[in-house]
Amino acid sequence: AQSVTQLDSQVPVFEEAPVELRCNYSSSVSVYLFWYVQYPNQGLQLLLKYLSGSTLVESINGFEAEFNKSQTSFHLRKPSVHISDTAEYFCAVTQGGSEKLVFGKGTKLTVNP
Amino acid sequence: GAGVSQSPSNKVTEKGKDVELRCDPISGHTALYWYRQSLGQGLEFLIYFQGNSAPDKSGLPSDRFSAERTGGSVSTLTIQRTQQEDSAVYLCASSSARGLSGNTIYFGEGSWLTVV
């Protein structure tokens, strides 16, 4: 069965610092990969996704993630964070043809002034 | 509607009672999903509907849990004889077509269930 590991449950950083949220998954056979964000008191929102093609995917608010098949990783990065990026971030994976998203346990990103 | 709507937003129930949670997906969305978010387990898949049928209900944790969808729209998740371990946020999501590969799924804000 698929599994997703988010190695850090909490990541505190200062504003304008770079950040990397780590995600590893268990199988590289025909996977689709996603990052979701949950802002305080809000629902889950899709941040970005990898389906095929270029291994580097970007979101509209400056986050990017790179699919690394050999390391079965899909780490999320941002070169300079804002206080408004404070949220919980979930990595998720599904195998082609399946409708079941398997989520990691989440990483709480706190951006401090 | 504009987004996925869930009701009730909060529910406190006594152990052993039955509860019903409702999801109203985005208009026109044929795919509907239920997930559960709890402190100990994170986000877990429960069931997936395509139209009114459920091709994947492998995540329902026990026979106390059931879900139905009528008219290809509203879905109800029913938990019978609730237990304290059922306390969680129940999230509904919908998508415009079959397949996660090309479609974004949109989540509701969830129904917070507390079993006392």
Side-chain angles (χ1 to χ4, degrees), chain B residues 36-115:
Chain B
R36 177 168 73 172
Q37 186 175 19
S38 56
L39 278 175
Q41 301 298 324
L43 275 153
E44 304 170 279
F45 168 84
L46 297 178
I47 188 169
Y48 155 65
F49 287 93
Q50 183 61 238
N52 291 335
S53 63
D56 189 347
K57 44 188 172 183
S58 61
L60 294 177
S62 75
D63 59 6
R64 295 186 297 104
F65 287 73
S66 62
E68 65 173 12
R69 190 179 185 196
T70 54
S73 181
V74 171
S75 176
T76 303
L77 177 69
T78 301
I79 309 172
Q80 296 178 307
R81 305 181 303 280
T82 51
Q83 304 294 313
Q84 286 183 328
E85 63 263 27
D86 300 334
S87 296
V89 181
Y90 290 83
L91 295 169
C92 179
S94 71
S95 173
S96 60
R98 184 191 303 272
L100 281 169
S101 62
N103 302 291
T104 298
I105 64 171
Y106 296 88
F107 282 85
E109 294 191 2
S111 291
W112 290 71
L113 175 66
T114 304
V115 181

Side-chain angles (χ1 to χ4, degrees), chain A:
Chain A
Q2 279 280 5
S3 66
V4 177
T5 302
Q6 291 183 246
L7 294 165
D8 306 300
S9 59
Q10 298 192 50
V11 173
V13 295
F14 288 110
E15 194 174 17
E16 298 183 4
V19 71
E20 179 180 80
L21 307 183
R22 295 178 291 170
C23 172
N24 288 88
Y25 58 92
S26 60
S27 169
S28 61
V29 177
S30 186
V31 293
Y32 301 136
L33 294 153
F34 306 80
W35 275 98
Y36 282 84
V37 59
Q38 188 171 32
Y39 296 104
N41 301 315
Q42 294 187 29
L44 280 166
Q45 301 172 37
L46 179 66
L47 189 60
L48 47 75
K49 60 185 177 183
Y50 169 79
L51 304 178
S52 64
S54 172
T55 57
L56 185 66
V57 290
E58 298 176 351
S59 73
I60 58 172
N61 59 351
F63 282 94
E64 64 178 32
E66 186 160 19
F67 169 54
N68 188 319
K69 187 174 180 178
S70 63
Q71 297 187 8
T72 60
S73 69
F74 191 56
H75 301 329
L76 182 70
R77 301 184 185 95
K78 189 170 184 179
S80 176
V81 293
H82 302 291
I83 291 182
S84 59
D85 292 324
T86 294
E88 190 158 16
Y89 293 79
F90 293 90
C91 181
V93 63
T94 188
Q95 284 186 267
S98 170
E99 290 301 308
K100 183 189 304 185
L101 274 172
V102 176
F103 285 88
K105 292 196 184 294
T107 298
K108 286 187 181 174
L109 174 66
T110 304
V111 181
N112 298 301

